[in-house]
Amino acid sequence: MAQLADRVVQAVLDLFAVQSSVLWSRDPDGSLVVLGISGRARDGFKLGDVLPTGVSLAGRAVSQGRAVWTRDVFAEPGLPMTAAQRTRLQATGDRAVLCVPLAVKGETIGVLSLGDGSTREFTTEEVTLLQAFADQAAIVLQNANLYVESQTQRLQLTQILESTSDGVLFVGAGRRVQAANHHAGELLGCESIPLVGGDLGAILGHECTEASAAELLRTCAAGHAGDGHGAAGDLEMPDLKRVLHWETRTTSDADRTVGLTITLHDVTQEREIAQMKSDFVSFATHQLRTPLSGIKWMLELGVQEREVGEQAKSYMQDALGAAQRLIQLVNDLLDVSRLESGRMKTAVQAVDLVGLTRTVLGDLKPQIDEKDHRLTVEVSEDVLDVFADPQLLRQVVLNLSSNAVKYSRPGGWITVRLTHDREFVRWQIQDNGIGIPKESQRHLFEKFYRADNVVSLETDGTGLGLYLVRLIAEQMGGRVWCESEEGQGASFFFTAPRGQGGSRPGSPAGPAAA
Ligand code: ADP
């Protein structure tokens, strides 16, 4: 910038054959600061000298927003002058001074001045020429300023990017990497090749499995098509024994997607710990299942024994109930661990969801009758087949239905509705029970979560049912969600891809799972 300013003031000396020239830049507070000096001005001015607002002829050029001149700066009537400025001018020997403002888009960004040792008038040509020169210089200086600013911002951005322990990539159209930090290269196992300018597919292809890379590439393509707000997933890197979690954010410029920012975080350890936990649960529950089934069987035989007294039978019945609950818990934990690890074997087929719903509600009839609930099932005329594993689908319907029975006070009503669109069947169960507090709703589908208001009903539960429902719904390619007002009942919904008559799913219908 200083070099540029020097060239401007040097050109003024050559063009106008005067003895000195000074270029001032205007600070945000209105004061002027010396940016360039040439000729005899060097005897009086130093770079960085400051002129307060409105002082001397340069100050007047700013306040009047036009060229101003004087044949003798020391004899100019009404010209505010500081002692420092007077001393500087005296050292240069300037008497006649001409100042023009430097303006960009109506804003004065500085002043260009020239001075001569003799007291003389300035011609109109000189004034016009200096103003024209200043207009050009203003544009050049402004551009240089913008360039410096953008370079500074670029540097700051690079420093920020490099200071994070996550990998960050910016991908433009056509999967080209436009920016990347050092960690991204390290995490992706590509330290030796430059990421910037490379094709994301080729970069991921170095170490990531094809399937895990394909998901990120799909997200990138969707992001550039304008529908990929904030997706996430994992990149598996078997040779490096590494798992990276990625998240994407689209960057838009006036409604147009210009790129995608991908952050990469090494989650190898977290995944290993989760796997160990899941393996342990799976092992422990397997070990528990056989003895528990034995206990249950013995108790069933025991309560049928004629010689056993009524009191002892009642104890055995209680123990049998407890054993059944334990077996249910063990089974749920096993299902969760299989679904989480992707080890669940499924047999997907067309299932009549209406028939399945009626069977489940039939199985629940004793509980419904015991609580004196009124049950209604509303079904549209069409056949509502869905593509799913019947056992898993039954679990979803059973969990949601038994919750509706469980979390409603006696004498309540429960309505089940089945509707569909072209791709999905939507299943809804509504009750007028205790409902769910607002702040609990977003946690409902988390593992072991139970809302605080369940204490009012003295029911027992594990908080596993809805988590299982969510895992199954997602596995089916559907969604589950809830709508509720505390004290006014709840509605639970899930969607499942339609079977015959409906096309296979593209993207699940309904709001995202809570
Ligand atoms: P559990 O019933 O074993 O506690 P779930 O995972 O099935 O576990 O449900 C989690 C929590 O969601 C329940 O503890 C309860 O707080 C809430 N919940 C589920 N269904 C309903 C409902 N129909 N009405 C009110 N609260 C419900």
Side-chain angles (χ1 to χ4, degrees), residues 63 106 148 165 217 371 429 502 508:
S63 59
V148 170
S165 58
L217 293 174
K371 286 191 86 173
I429 188 159

Side-chain angles (χ1 to χ4, degrees), residues 403 406-407 431 435-436 444 449-451 454 461-463 465-466 492:
N403 276 352
K406 197 158 90 172
Y407 296 111
D431 62 58
I436 300 146
L444 276 190
Y449 185 83
R450 304 196 76 205
V454 293
T462 58
L466 289 183
F492 281 82

Side-chain angles (χ1 to χ4, degrees), residues 478-489:
R479 283 278 185 262
V480 57
W481 71 99
C482 160
E483 290 169 6
S484 174
E485 285 287 333
E486 188 176 5
Q488 309 200 359

Side-chain angles (χ1 to χ4, degrees), residues 385-399:
D385 275 3
V386 295
F387 263 117
D389 177 295
Q391 286 311 320
L392 293 180
L393 190 63
R394 183 179 186 281
Q395 243 174 308
V396 172
V397 173
L398 180 65
N399 273 326

Side-chain angles (χ1 to χ4, degrees), residues 456-508:
S456 66
L457 277 180
E458 287 182 20
T459 58
D460 50 31
T462 58
L464 263 183
L466 289 183
Y467 178 63
L468 205 55
V469 165
R470 171 160 75 92
L471 292 182
I472 297 173
E474 284 171 359
Q475 217 249 5
M476 288 191 306
R479 283 278 185 262
V480 57
W481 71 99
C482 160
E483 290 169 6
S484 174
E485 285 287 333
E486 188 176 5
Q488 309 200 359
S491 271
F492 281 82
F493 302 81
F494 77 84
T495 57
R498 286 187 74 181
Q500 280 129 19
S503 56
R504 293 251 44 200
S507 60

Side-chain angles (χ1 to χ4, degrees), residues 133 174 181 231 247 254 303 341 365 384 395 403 437 459 469 503-504:
F133 187 72
N181 68 356
E247 282 181 24
V303 289
S341 64
K365 192 164 183 315
L384 294 177
Q395 243 174 308
N403 276 352
T459 58
V469 165
S503 56
R504 293 251 44 200

